[in-house]
Amino acid sequence: AAAIFRRKEGYIMAKNKEPKTNAMRILDRMKISYKTFTYECDEFIDGIHCADITGAPYEQSFKTLVMEGKSGGYYVFVVPIEKEVDRKAAAKAVGEKAVDMIHVKDILKITGYVRGGCSPLGMKKPYPVVFDASAGGFEEIYVSGGRVGLTLKVPLAALLKVTNGKLADITMK
């Protein structure tokens, strides 16, 4: 089990000492307010453990998955932490015949982020982003802030705008 040393939450302002991630810089630049939840751990932990630490409701907490289509293009899927992506539905949502998860060793090279700290905002390149339709039931959702130990609570409308994302049914029933 991961050792948790501290948890902080607060609104990040420009003069705060919290080191900024690409995701945070993008939100700041677009003047989008967000709430941060930070914690320290000594190893990778999954979204459920992150939600437990931050107190975020499971159904409002989303993980970021990066997949490669048959065409060779990369796609970002943002799904509830307790659900699994439906690969057929995900492929259909992005106009591919099929999509597969990228290998863990390729996450940093493709996204600029590490496993467990992959945010749908601020990747190396702008990939198509699809949020599970269930996100539409919330004004704000929790996503990774761009590093292990950082969760952001961001208005969904802002996430959709900044990522040029869309909503679709992409999880297993």
Side-chain angles (χ1 to χ4, degrees):
I4 306 307
F5 303 107
R6 68 182 168 82
R7 173 186 144 196
K8 293 189 309 186
E9 65 183 75
Y11 288 94
I12 293 292
M13 296 302 178
K15 295 183 180 174
N16 194 308
K17 300 272 189 271
E18 181 75 35
K20 298 282 180 156
T21 62
N22 283 348
M24 295 161 78
R25 282 189 280 277
I26 288 168
L27 293 170
D28 289 346
R29 194 167 48 244
M30 309 243 348
K31 299 190 179 350
I32 295 166
S33 69
Y34 56 95
K35 194 169 185 182
T36 63
F37 299 85
T38 59
Y39 51 92
E40 291 181 10
C41 58
D42 56 8
E43 61 188 42
F44 166 79
I45 58 174
D46 64 24
I48 290 174
H49 287 97
C50 294
D52 288 342
I53 295 163
T54 61
Y58 288 3
E59 63 278 1
Q60 208 171 340
S61 300
F62 289 74
K63 58 188 173 186
T64 304
L65 305 174
V66 181
M67 303 182 107
E68 184 175 7
K70 284 284 185 211
S71 70
Y74 296 108
Y75 303 94
V76 178
F77 298 101
V78 185
V79 300
I81 58 172
E82 291 188 295
K83 301 258 181 152
E84 293 302 320
V85 72
D86 178 330
R87 291 190 358 222
K88 281 187 178 180
K92 183 178 176 189
V94 295
E96 285 277 359
K97 288 186 189 284
V99 290
D100 287 302
M101 290 293 293
I102 62 170
H103 197 281
V104 172
K105 70 177 175 49
D106 295 329
I107 293 172
L108 181 62
K109 179 178 72 179
I110 293 166
T111 69
Y113 290 127
V114 298
R115 179 179 185 223
C118 197
S119 178
L121 298 162
M123 290 191 184
K124 280 184 173 183
K125 294 181 181 174
Y127 301 117
V129 180
V130 181
F131 291 81
D132 185 63
S134 65
F138 302 101
E139 196 169 307
E140 298 175 304
I141 64 170
Y142 296 82
V143 295
S144 172
R147 67 176 162 77
V148 175
L150 176 63
T151 297
L152 302 179
K153 184 179 182 185
V154 187
L156 176 64
L159 284 172
L160 289 168
K161 180 180 177 186
V162 172
T163 62
N164 200 23
K166 67 178 184 177
L167 295 171
D169 285 314
I170 55 170
T171 55
M172 305 262 224
K173 300 296 173 224

